[in-house]
Structure formats: C-alpha cells, structure tokens
Amino acid sequence: MSLFKPRAGRHVLALLLLCLCALSPMTSRALETGVVTGWIYTDITSIQQLGTRQLDDLKSIGTTTIRVEFIYPSDANERTRYLTAYKNIVQWAGERGIRVIGVLTVNSMLNKSVKPVDTFSVQDFDNRFVPIFKEALDWHDATYTNVNGTPYGVEGWEIWNEPDVYDMRRPSTGSFMGEEFALLCVRAYEHYKGHGGTRKIIMGALSRWDDDILFRQVYDSTPVRNFKAAQGRNVLPGDAIGMHAYGNLNVPPSQKGFSYAGGNFEDVILSIRSLRDSAGRELVPSGQPVYVTEVGFGPNRNGSQVYYWRQATHAAELRYVLETLKRYEQQFQRVYWYSWRDEEERNQPDPRGWNWFGLRQVPQANCGGGATKLAYNVFANFNGRAGPAQRAVWQVLPVGDESWPTGWVSPPSCGALQSPDPFLRAFHRVDTARNLMGQPRDWGGGPYVHRWGNGQVQHFMNGVWEGGLGALGLADGRGEAGYVYGRFYDKWMAIGFTHVGGFPVDNGGGADRHRWDSSISRGMVQDFNGGSLGPNMLQLEEWPVAGAQVLIVQGAWYQHYMANGGVGVFGYARTEPYPYGGQYRMDFARGYMIQDPATGVVQHYF
C-alpha cells in the first residue's frame, strides 16, 4: 500500500499521516507503534487537516511520532494552503511532544521537470534527477525548522515510499529501478550529512519485505556496495531502514501456518535475518534500526462495508505483530499500523473512497467512558494505557451499515455483552480473513453482536458455503463461540433458534461443525446447549448415506446416544423420533431406539 495515491484532480491532493504510540514502559526497549492517520484534502475553499483536536486525541493514547508525506503543489495558491497546514501540524505536534517524520517523493519536488522514469540510465538518473531531489531535501529541511517562529521542526526525512511501486519503474519494461533508488539513498545521505544535517535520513520502504530478489536489488546494489566500502563497515545509507509488511505476513497466532503464499510474519523476520549480500555479510545489518512503516491486513475489498470483526481482526493481528517483533532483534524500533482516519468530519469527501478503513465514532452512553473510537482503544489496550471503554467498543460498532462512510446507525446497548475475544477467535478459525462468512445481516436484533436468549449472536449473509447464511453464537458461561452455517443453520433456525436449540458449544470436537467418523457412519456434527432442548446435536451423514438431511438428536435420545457410544456404536441418525405402536422410535445407521412416552426412558435395539 502506498503513502500517496495519484491525484484525483487539480484541487484534490492527499497527505498521509501515520501516528506512533509508545508501548508500555515495562518493556526494556521502546518499540513504538502507530497507525495510518488520514489524509489532508483540499478543494477551492477549504482544507481538512490533522488539527489540534485530533492531535490531542492521539497524544492521550501515548502517540510519540506522526509520519507525514510532504507534497509541494505546483499551483501557487494551493501550495500556500499546504505550507500553512504542514507548518501548523509540525508546530501543534511539537507543542504536544509529538515528533514528525517527513516522507519525500516525486510529489515533494520543487522542480518536477525530470522524474525518475524520465531518465534512461543510472548515470543519467544521477546527473539529472538526484540534484532535483537534493534541492527538495534542503528546501524542506530549512522550511520545516523552527516553524512559525517556534523551536519545533521535523525529526527526520524518509527517502521515498514504495519505490518499487510508485515512480521508479521503467515505462518501457516495467522493471524496478532498484539501483537508481539505492543510489538516491546514498547520494541523499552523503549530501545531507556532508553539510552538517542533523536529522535522521531513513531509507524508504519497499512494498514487500518477503521478496528476497527485491531486497537484493537495493541492499546488494553497486551504490550500496560502494557506500559500504567507503564507510569501511557493513552499513546502509540511512539512520534507519523502512520496511513494509503486507501480503502473507500478518497472521495471528490462531492462524499460524495459514497464508496467501506460505509463511507468516515470524517466518519472514527469520528470513530477513538470514539474508546475506554478495560479500557474505548480513544484507540488513543487525545494528541498523528498522521502522516497519506500514503493516496491516488490508482493506475489505468487497465494498464499502467495514465491520466490527474486520476492525477487531486488525487489532488481533497488531497484537501478534508487536509480540513477534518484541521477541526478536533490538533493531525493530517502530511499527506503523495501516490504517487510521478520523471520521468525525464525515461531511468531507474522502479521496480514498471505500478503500479506506475509517474509524467510527460510536456513542457509548451505555458502556461508560463517553464517545470513543476503535483504534484509540486498540492502541490504548496494547500499550498498557487506560482507554475509554477499551474492548467493549468492538462489540457495538455499526458493522452492518452498508452505506459507510456517509451512513450512520446507532449501536445497541452493550451493558450485558461479554468480551469479543470468543467471536474474534471463531472468526479467525472459520473465515481466515478471506470473507468466506460474508457480511453481517440484521435478523431482528441488528447486524451487531447482540444478546439473544441465553447468549450472544451475530448473523451473516452472502457467505460462500451452502446458501451463504450463517451465524456466530456464544452461550453464556462458555469461552468459545461457534459458527453455524448452511444446512446446519437452516435446521437450527427451523427448530427455534437459540431459545430452543441453544448455542454452538464445544463438547469435545470444537464449537464449529466438525467431523465425527466411525466404521458405521461418517459425517459432520455440531453440538448445542443453552436452549429449552438442553444438550443436543445436529448431524449430517455423508457415508454410507450421501445427501442425507440434517437431523437433530436431543433430549433423552441424546443422553442415551452419548452415554452408549455415540457414532461409534449407532452411527448417524437416519430419522428423528416418530410414533411407533404407542411409543416413539428413532432409527440410526445401526439399530434403533424406543422411548416410552409414560416414563421418557429410552432403550436401544440392534
């Protein structure tokens, strides 16, 4: 993902900010964490920016740094508005003890007559574009020092962002200009430090860090090898290195081993540590600080919907990322989480459209703590700081509001809801973040997680399995939620839903639909409890009878079935109870059961 997207028009420019929050002081090293904060958006008459209120909010959860892409508009009037906005942000941040990292790309150039893609060789790039970049670096450094007559200024400059994606690919071949980018980092570093520059210079992040070939194009290039030789040691041209973590990297513990392309976040860190350059030295030197300048699971690309479980999924992944980084080298110093956007000014156009995760300001009158926002709670929680209604907010986000970002719905009361963790675990276990479950739907209690009967539920639609309908359910007093879908969901609803059938529970095979096979029958079962039927089981036989209906084993039949060997003795149910000579009978793959209606006693026969 990029810090800058192409212009949407003459008066639409974007500035992307990332905020960094300090971890708990209990850690021995200050691994700073943060999130993408938003865009500055201009039109003919107005500018929306990161203001004092937003900075106060971020400061309240321990923000230490914001990351700003500095843009130099060609239009003079627009440029004046931007310069004013940038200076104000630097000043307001400084007044709150928040540092600013600036990102420089082709959009920051004062002179845009020559772009990287306009050059035809490394030497031509060095001759024609590098001087333009140096000029922009010097101008920005001077302009954003002691802004507005204050002592505040930019802490450091990051050289480019995702050069392998934006503005450094040969138009004729599509190939990444890796050697040119490496040369730019070397020239910028030597130039800036050579004339006494005191701020940090950061090598901009490649779009992926699980691509060895991409890494070697930059970190084992001729310019970098020459720089190392001149320095007389294994060091890269930057006070820190930027890296991005996307794709198959953000895999929470419950899904370790699952990925889009194999591997996971921890595997890639280990891979990076093992990479060597052509001289046998560490490709990424251990002593070089690393900023993971973007990390995130990626947007919900099915439409504009942003659901509580998608946001909470990000929270779980963030925790995993932080816990993983803390286990490894001291050089990992900062992690910028993608993404954040202040949603309070909702009447302003959003240049990113649906492809942007906005944060929802959710009324919390029944949850305590007043109004709050999700990401604030995520970081307050993981930074060990007190936050307003921290985890409770996940349960009441308007997850089914399909008109987002302009729509609005009021959340239900959250007073009786339990922790969302069981729902998050069930979502990861079943959906694996691939939208398999579809989208939340309102089936009478709202599209949220809500109380229903003796527990909590959330309904879904448009899933990929058996008609697309399903629901997550959690019985009171249970630690694991289960997902009921397809034909099992239809049967569950038909018998009376949670009030009758109860909620999915773990009775030895997990709370979701799971296999229970024997030499008599094979198929799928799901256990339930908490309804008027008491403990019961839904069954779907697959062998030796294929295409069977989902049947319920409940009450005294269930007790007798389970007490006498279950599927290993009887196989799967072939019928539900039916009248039989003044009694009731239920047939199984092996044998049948009879119930005396006078006593309720069940006996079996083979």
Side-chain angles (χ1 to χ4, degrees), residues 44-109:
I44 295 176
T45 60
S46 65
I47 183 167
Q48 178 185 347
Q49 62 182 325
L50 187 74
T52 55
R53 177 184 57 76
Q54 291 91 342
L55 286 165
D56 283 338
D57 287 341
L58 297 174
K59 178 65 176 178
S60 71
I61 60 165
T63 298
T64 61
T65 307
I66 59 175
R67 183 168 172 256
V68 180
E69 182 173 352
F70 281 77
I71 298 171
Y72 189 86
S74 299
D75 178 82
N77 292 330
E78 194 171 45
R79 185 185 313 137
T80 299
R81 289 196 295 272
Y82 267 76
L83 294 179
T84 300
Y86 288 138
K87 289 181 178 181
N88 286 341
I89 289 171
V90 173
Q91 175 185 341
W92 295 335
E95 291 169 347
R96 289 157 178 79
I98 298 173
R99 304 187 302 275
V100 176
I101 290 290
V103 183
L104 300 180
T105 69
V106 71
N107 306 294
S108 312
M109 303 301 100

Side-chain angles (χ1 to χ4, degrees), residues 136-421:
L137 174 59
D138 290 343
W139 183 90
H140 281 80
D141 196 55
T143 301
Y144 298 106
T145 296
N146 303 125
V147 297
N148 299 331
T150 70
Y152 307 116
V154 172
E155 182 200 29
W157 297 107
E158 182 175 337
I159 309 304
W160 229 261
N161 175 73
E162 296 188 346
D164 57 306
V165 176
Y166 296 98
D167 302 310
M168 285 201 188
R169 281 193 172 272
R170 290 278 177 216
S172 58
T173 63
S175 59
F176 170 43
M177 301 164 63
E179 190 159 342
E180 285 88 340
F181 172 64
L183 179 65
L184 181 66
C185 292
V186 169
R187 293 285 191 256
Y189 184 85
E190 292 177 334
H191 167 77
Y192 184 75
K193 300 296 182 178
H195 65 63
T198 59
R199 296 184 171 90
K200 295 178 181 178
I201 296 295
I202 303 157
M203 293 186 72
L206 303 174
S207 65
R208 301 185 66 88
W209 67 343
D210 59 347
D211 189 330
D212 294 0
I213 296 176
L214 196 63
F215 257 49
R216 295 182 191 284
Q217 283 184 273
V218 174
Y219 298 134
D220 198 21
S221 62
T222 299
V224 169
R225 288 196 295 271
N226 292 341
F227 177 81
K228 290 180 178 181
Q231 296 289 318
R233 59 196 179 103
N234 187 28
V235 64
L236 296 173
D239 298 297
I241 308 164
M243 291 185 181
H244 284 186
Y246 283 117
N248 62 331
L249 306 184
N250 310 317
V251 185
S254 61
Q255 295 298 324
K256 193 175 187 302
F258 165 81
S259 73
Y260 293 109
N264 55 46
F265 188 83
E266 190 165 0
D267 295 337
V268 174
I269 290 178
L270 293 172
S271 175
I272 289 173
R273 302 305 313 124
S274 67
L275 295 178
R276 295 293 182 269
D277 66 14
S278 54
R281 300 165 298 198
E282 290 179 313
L283 195 67
V284 179
S286 298
Q288 205 107 23
V290 173
Y291 296 171
V292 184
T293 52
E294 290 184 23
V295 62
F297 198 74
N300 172 12
R301 299 183 182 275
N302 280 358
S304 64
Q305 302 94 332
V306 178
Y307 306 127
Y308 107 86
W309 44 265
R310 185 66 62 188
Q311 294 277 20
T313 294
H314 286 196
E317 289 155 0
L318 172 60
R319 178 167 56 187
Y320 168 54
V321 167
L322 297 184
E323 290 173 348
T324 301
L325 288 176
K326 285 193 293 183
R327 287 199 300 271
Y328 289 95
E329 304 293 338
Q330 294 292 308
Q331 71 188 106
F332 291 100
Q333 293 186 356
R334 293 180 181 175
V335 182
Y336 299 74
W337 181 245
Y338 196 97
S339 56
W340 185 94
R341 176 177 181 263
D342 180 50
E343 265 288 291
E344 196 154 308
E345 301 294 335
R346 294 188 309 104
N347 59 341
Q348 291 285 342
D350 181 1
R352 294 294 293 269
W354 63 266
N355 197 34
W356 181 259
F357 277 117
L359 303 180
R360 311 305 300 269
Q361 183 172 8
V362 181
Q364 294 283 297
N366 297 315
C367 302
T372 188
K373 296 180 177 67
L374 173 66
Y376 292 3
N377 289 335
V378 169
F379 284 93
N381 185 51
F382 296 148
N383 292 340
R385 299 171 182 271
Q390 287 181 353
R391 299 169 75 84
V393 69
W394 293 349
Q395 303 162 57
V396 297
L397 283 173
V399 295
D401 178 14
E402 297 186 7
S403 60
W404 185 89
T406 59
W408 200 257
V409 293
S410 299
S413 167
C414 63
L417 294 179
Q418 302 176 27
S419 164
D421 287 348

Side-chain angles (χ1 to χ4, degrees), residues 452-574:
W452 201 265
N454 298 318
Q456 304 168 62
V457 296
Q458 184 175 23
H459 292 267
F460 292 81
M461 62 183 177
N462 300 327
V464 301
W465 299 297
E466 300 175 19
L469 298 181
L472 288 170
L474 175 65
D476 288 342
R478 293 279 182 163
E480 290 299 325
Y483 184 56
V484 190
Y485 67 91
R487 286 176 283 178
F488 279 64
Y489 177 83
D490 294 340
K491 181 68 174 182
W492 188 38
M493 300 296 284
I495 63 176
F497 193 34
T498 60
H499 290 80
V500 178
F503 296 82
V505 297
D506 184 354
N507 195 27
D512 302 323
R513 183 193 301 194
H514 57 276
R515 299 206 66 81
W516 194 11
D517 296 340
S518 74
S519 60
I520 303 170
S521 290
R522 295 199 294 267
M524 304 295 290
V525 300
Q526 191 163 13
D527 298 288
F528 293 82
N529 205 345
S532 60
L533 293 180
N536 66 88
M537 176 186 291
L538 296 184
Q539 297 188 339
L540 178 61
E541 187 176 16
E542 297 176 345
W543 178 89
V545 175
Q549 293 182 335
V550 175
L551 300 175
I552 183 172
V553 184
Q554 49 93 7
W557 310 91
Y558 173 84
Q559 300 293 347
H560 190 86
Y561 180 79
M562 297 300 289
N564 289 278
V567 71
V569 173
F570 302 101
Y572 276 66
R574 294 284 175 82

